[in-house]
Amino acid sequence: TKTVLGVNIPSAGMAEGFQLVDVLLNHQIGGKWQAAEFVGRKIWEYFVAENPDPALVTELANRWKATNYDVR
């Protein structure tokens, strides 16, 4: 068993990996989706411009989370 961000993840092979990804993607601090904001910021910086507005990053993260992280 492993503990990641306060969540116990039992040893379960591939299912363990999937549960770990779920824990990371659903982690919030201060009502913000941490993984979605990090990835959204990196994509914006790469394709658009450096130093995006934090409000824009939050909006991107919320929209991406609302689609259950769908990238299509």
Side-chain angles (χ1 to χ4, degrees):
T1 302
K2 295 167 186 66
T3 303
V4 177
L5 299 172
V7 177
N8 291 326
I9 300 174
S11 297
M14 280 187 53
E16 178 181 352
F18 290 128
Q19 187 174 0
L20 173 64
V21 170
D22 286 343
V23 168
L24 294 173
L25 290 177
N26 289 303
H27 181 63
Q28 287 189 54
I29 295 177
K32 294 185 176 188
W33 303 102
Q34 296 301 299
E37 289 216 5
F38 178 82
V39 173
R41 181 179 304 103
K42 292 297 181 183
I43 289 171
W44 187 272
E45 289 173 345
Y46 186 83
F47 288 107
V48 182
E50 293 182 8
N51 302 318
D53 182 338
L56 174 66
V57 172
T58 299
E59 178 64 23
L60 291 170
N62 289 338
R63 287 182 184 213
W64 192 30
K65 175 64 176 144
T67 66
N68 201 29
Y69 296 103
D70 189 11
V71 292
R72 289 186 263 163

